Amino acid sequence: MNDIYQHFRKDEEPFIDQALEWKRVVTEQYRIKLTDFLDPREQVILTSVIGHSDEVKLGLFGGFQESERKRAILYPEYAEPMINDYQIQAFEVTYPNKFASIEHRELLGSLMGIGLKRQKFGDFIFAGDIRQFVCSEEVAEFVFFHLTHIGRVKVGLEKIPLSELHIPEQHVEIREDTVSSLRLDTVCSQVTRQSRQKAQALVKNGLVKVNWKLIEDTSYSLLEGDMLSVRGFGRFKLTNIDGKTKKGRWRLTIAKQK
């Protein structure tokens, strides 16, 4: 089982250990395990850890089919999780939208400011003046009573069913590219159509995030499932790393969010 670590980064080992422990609990105690919301990279790792196990199955859901952040259910083969088992509550924010606006970073900052970790929240939905988000049911009442302001704007919350979420239309461009290496500056150069030198400047100037974490190391190695965010150019997900060409270049499938 230790061989699994070689496929991932050193800083991902704590999450791998957690995933292995979840798997052990389901296998030995024969019961369902529900996780917090996982980002896309964590979903890739967990899927790899579970593999094609006959004893433990895996389900992922984040409130709607196209969600980016999802809760996972690990379950024995006898069980069949339903949507309600993911225990997700949706909220719509009520605020004076004629006089104030609410940005993504302000909503996230206010939710973190009431003392909850990011993993308790799923996707945020911004559609026109509509502001919605999903969270774990276990913190829903706490959020309902404690989120009274977003920035300087006084707000209220309305609990809504998942069916009333205003799911934004997905605009994704799928690209198939090849790169000489999986270094951050090399991939960044390819997805932004910039020179390697300009891509290095983007990284060193703090304009690039990998899996929502600022990375300033140009040699940082990317892996399948990573989400790459480049300020001014958008977000790119490495959906597949499909091996090498005969000339030794890496084949990539990249989803660009428009």
Side-chain angles (χ1 to χ4, degrees):
M1 181 60 71
N2 289 338
D3 291 344
I4 195 170
Y5 293 102
Q6 69 183 346
H7 301 293
F8 301 99
R9 303 183 181 99
K10 186 71 176 177
D11 63 358
E12 293 174 334
E13 289 185 5
F15 182 77
I16 296 170
D17 292 338
Q18 181 66 80
L20 290 170
E21 175 62 15
W22 291 336
K23 185 177 181 180
R24 184 195 65 78
V25 167
V26 176
T27 302
E28 296 183 4
Q29 301 182 17
Y30 221 55
R31 64 180 177 86
I32 291 175
K33 170 61 184 178
L34 174 64
T35 75
D36 284 335
F37 286 93
L38 308 178
D39 65 39
R41 178 62 185 164
E42 290 170 331
Q43 295 168 38
V44 168
I45 295 173
L46 182 57
T47 300
S48 180
V49 168
I50 300 303
H52 300 289
S53 172
D54 292 328
E55 296 180 314
V56 180
K57 305 298 181 183
L58 175 65
L60 295 163
F61 183 64
F64 55 99
Q65 186 176 357
E66 303 87 352
S67 61
E68 193 169 84
R69 303 178 68 90
K70 303 177 190 290
R71 300 192 82 174
I73 289 182
L74 288 74
Y75 58 97
E77 56 183 347
Y78 75 84
E80 189 61 45
M82 307 295 286
I83 293 299
N84 289 342
D85 293 323
Y86 288 90
Q87 299 178 26
I88 296 173
Q89 176 62 58
F91 283 106
E92 182 162 332
V93 181
T94 58
Y95 68 104
N97 55 44
K98 291 184 179 180
F99 307 102
S101 63
I102 295 174
E103 303 298 327
H104 185 284
R105 59 182 175 80
E106 294 172 327
L107 175 55
L108 175 59
S110 297
L111 287 170
M112 301 288 284
I114 62 176
L116 295 173
K117 59 184 182 179
R118 181 65 179 93
Q119 291 87 342
K120 293 298 181 183
F121 303 98
D123 286 12
F124 299 162
I125 296 173
F126 283 46
D129 292 330
I130 294 173
R131 303 291 182 263
Q132 298 175 327
F133 65 92
V134 296
C135 70
S136 305
E137 278 186 1
E138 61 265 26
V139 302
E141 289 302 312
F142 182 86
V143 173
F144 183 80
F145 286 109
H146 287 83
L147 187 68
T148 58
H149 289 79
I150 296 177
R152 297 182 177 180
V153 181
K154 187 174 182 180
V155 302
L157 293 179
E158 179 185 351
K159 291 183 180 180
I160 59 172
L162 298 179
S163 59
E164 292 185 12
L165 289 170
H166 288 250
I167 312 304
E169 186 176 350
Q170 297 290 312
H171 296 282
V172 178
E173 175 189 348
I174 304 298
R175 300 180 181 176
E176 292 185 353
D177 281 315
T178 64
V179 291
S180 59
S181 80
L182 296 174
R183 285 172 50 114
L184 179 56
D185 57 354
T186 303
V187 177
C188 188
S189 171
Q190 185 70 19
V191 299
T192 62
R193 304 300 195 238
Q194 299 280 299
S195 68
R196 178 86 170 270
Q197 185 177 14
K198 289 183 178 179
Q200 289 177 339
L202 289 171
V203 176
K204 291 178 180 178
N205 290 331
L207 302 178
V208 178
K209 292 183 179 181
V210 179
N211 300 328
W212 299 274
K213 181 167 38 175
L214 183 65
I215 303 293
E216 297 179 322
D217 178 5
T218 57
S219 65
Y220 187 86
S221 184
L222 296 176
L223 298 173
E224 188 171 278
D226 280 343
M227 183 68 75
L228 179 64
S229 176
V230 186
R231 190 181 304 173
F233 293 91
R235 298 203 302 168
F236 308 83
K237 182 178 180 181
L238 275 65
T239 56
N240 292 98
I241 298 177
D242 303 310
K244 291 186 175 182
T245 67
K246 291 181 179 180
K247 294 184 178 181
R249 293 175 63 85
W250 290 96
R251 294 190 186 93
L252 304 180
T253 302
I254 298 169
K256 178 184 180 182
Q257 298 184 2
K258 296 183 178 180

